[in-house]
Amino acid sequence: MKRGSYWLGFILGFLYILDSITQVSASIHEYRKEAFIRQSNAFFFHGGSEGLYASKSRDSSAAAPDDNPSKGKSSIRFENVLFVRTKESSDKQNEMQSKTGLVEAIILEVKDREKIGGAVIKSDVICCTPELSHNGSCNVGEVIIQKDPDNPEGPKRIQTFFEGTNQEAKMMAQFVEINSTGMYYLYFMYCDPQLQGTTIRGRTVWRNPGGYLPGKMVPLMTFYGVVSLAYLALGLVWFLRFVQFWKDIIQLHYHITAVIALGMCETALWYFEYANLNATGSRPMGITLWAVTISAVKKTLSRLLLLVVSMGYGVVKPTLGGVTSRVLLLGLIYFIASEALELVEHLGNINDFSGKAKIYLVLPVAFLDAWFILWIFSSLSKTLEKLQMRRSMAKLELYRKFTNSLAVFVLLSIAWIGYELYFNASDPLSELWQISWVIPAFWTLLAFFLLVVICVLWAPSSNPTRYAYPGEAGEDFDEEAISLASGVKVTGATDPVTGLREGLEEDKRE
């Protein structure tokens, strides 16, 4: 019964993710009849938050008549924003009154957050009260905003009133230009308790001087363009080597080729996805879905490649034996978990990824990554032991280099995870948005350099006996054969045929 409930929950969750694909948007923030949340004596709705660069100054006299007036400008544009209150609320109003309810749009830079509400007067209220109104600090029914004389453009408010007994109030189309670089937040707020139950529909369009790409993602477009070229260069070198020694190619080389090809496709698709987002403001569903899926496939195959290499596949043993099904099952589970995380993270609004949803999806991926690491190093230990027992010194040296390299990458990963946790904990409001792009970029670079190490260690060559399984290469047994041919006696050496037979028996048992 429990297992059936688990699978039902998984299917419903996956269907929810697929449904969210039809709502793909980024710098265009859509509001679909969403409710306001109460905090202190106010009701608010978070309309979006993005890093925005200051508008570029332009010489209007030099601009052509048909030139786009928004080009080079950073702005927030309100389009068809509609507030709908309940019928009970509207029936309580006087039909002859022109203003029977107020909703305010508040745009503020994160460094000005203390200027909203009664923080300056040491009060936790957000909306103006009659007592505060008597002091001339604010107007009853409005959000308290402390203006800065040195920054008149400080927190900006845009007011929209309900009229008479109308249930709907449409916000006038607004174009708010941003002239200071920073992390901006948009809140829709009202103070009247009679408006409780009011919902919001419409959208806002956020734009940077260079396009619609959010500020924290602007460097990633260039980054993925450069990395895609790096993968292309790696693929070209590998292909030339592959063709040069095609007669000595083993199965492992095909797996490495597949990972390189997926890396090229993944980074190129992310570049085009960001480029399209920058040009249109919406994420192209097709490209994003392909990029997410190929990214999940590449991550899965990369981990499986590390695992089978650590097990000595094609080097110490011709097959994985009885563990093949377990390796494939772990790969399938990891692909599903990684795909779910990538879908929710990239197929929604930039700031829509809630903390709880992220924890629920990140934890399975983190657990599976830890499982992969433990299994990889456990397999490496067994492989090194077998090679030492068989006295395959060339292969032993190869695997020692691989183990040392992998240990360095794992230590770097652990250190970076610690830094990432510190970064997120010390920057809850994304004030460091201009450098936040390095967090995902690091993992992409780490995966690339680890792949380069594997390509160098297992590069195709005219002497495949240094990494190939003896049965595949059709050669003798590494150093054992050299020792026998030269007549050098190795004390305590095991007969190569006997050692090979014992190794095969051990592989079958695994």
Side-chain angles (χ1 to χ4, degrees), residues 91 129 163 186 195 228 291 355 373 387 498:
D91 288 343
T129 61
E163 295 183 359
L186 167 65
L195 291 177
S228 64
I373 290 172
L387 290 172
T498 305

Side-chain angles (χ1 to χ4, degrees), residues 247-250 253 314 395 461-469 472-473 475 478:
K247 290 183 179 180
D248 300 309
I249 295 301
I250 62 174
H253 291 141
K395 294 177 185 177
S461 71
S462 57
N463 181 27
T465 56
R466 67 187 182 92
Y467 51 67
Y469 180 70
E472 289 187 41
E475 301 289 343
D478 295 338

Side-chain angles (χ1 to χ4, degrees), residues 17-35:
I17 291 171
L18 289 179
D19 179 65
S20 69
I21 292 175
T22 61
Q23 304 173 8
V24 178
S25 59
S27 286
I28 299 176
H29 295 265
E30 301 277 354
Y31 316 128
R32 300 177 177 87
K33 203 175 180 180
E34 298 180 72

Side-chain angles (χ1 to χ4, degrees), residues 25-28 211-214 217 221 271-284 288 350:
S25 59
S27 286
I28 299 176
Y212 293 100
L213 201 62
M217 298 171 68
M221 183 171 70
Y271 172 78
F272 288 118
E273 199 264 356
Y274 285 135
N276 194 89
L277 170 58
N278 192 50
T280 65
S282 293
R283 308 189 95 146
T288 305
I350 295 300

Side-chain angles (χ1 to χ4, degrees), residues 233-343:
L234 177 63
L236 181 60
V237 173
W238 180 264
F239 176 74
L240 294 175
R241 192 87 178 178
F242 195 95
V243 172
Q244 183 180 1
F245 303 104
W246 68 271
K247 290 183 179 180
D248 300 309
I249 295 301
I250 62 174
Q251 192 67 33
L252 188 62
H253 291 141
Y254 292 101
H255 296 172
I256 296 173
T257 303
V259 173
I260 295 174
L262 286 170
M264 282 191 288
C265 293
E266 177 197 18
T267 51
L269 282 171
W270 280 125
Y271 172 78
F272 288 118
E273 199 264 356
Y274 285 135
N276 194 89
L277 170 58
N278 192 50
T280 65
S282 293
R283 308 189 95 146
M285 185 175 62
I287 296 179
T288 305
L289 191 57
W290 272 107
V292 163
T293 302
I294 289 179
S295 181
V297 171
K298 184 237 178 185
K299 286 180 180 178
T300 304
L301 287 183
S302 297
R303 283 153 180 78
L304 290 177
L305 175 63
L306 289 174
L307 183 57
V308 298
V309 166
S310 302
M311 289 179 171
Y313 171 68
V315 178
V316 177
K317 59 178 79 171
T319 66
L320 295 179
V323 300
T324 303
S325 57
R326 282 185 285 166
V327 170
L328 293 176
L329 179 61
L330 179 60
L332 177 62
I333 295 173
Y334 186 86
F335 168 75
I336 294 172
S338 180
E339 177 81 353
L341 176 61
E342 294 277 348
L343 281 174

Side-chain angles (χ1 to χ4, degrees), residues 89-116:
S89 175
S90 63
D91 288 343
K92 294 178 182 178
Q93 309 303 323
N94 187 332
E95 189 174 357
M96 302 303 294
Q97 286 183 294
S98 59
K99 297 179 180 180
T100 57
L102 170 64
V103 181
E104 297 182 286
I106 311 293
I107 302 172
L108 72 149
E109 195 176 345
V110 68
K111 65 183 179 66
D112 295 328
R113 60 187 178 276
E114 297 297 330
K115 296 177 182 178
I116 300 296

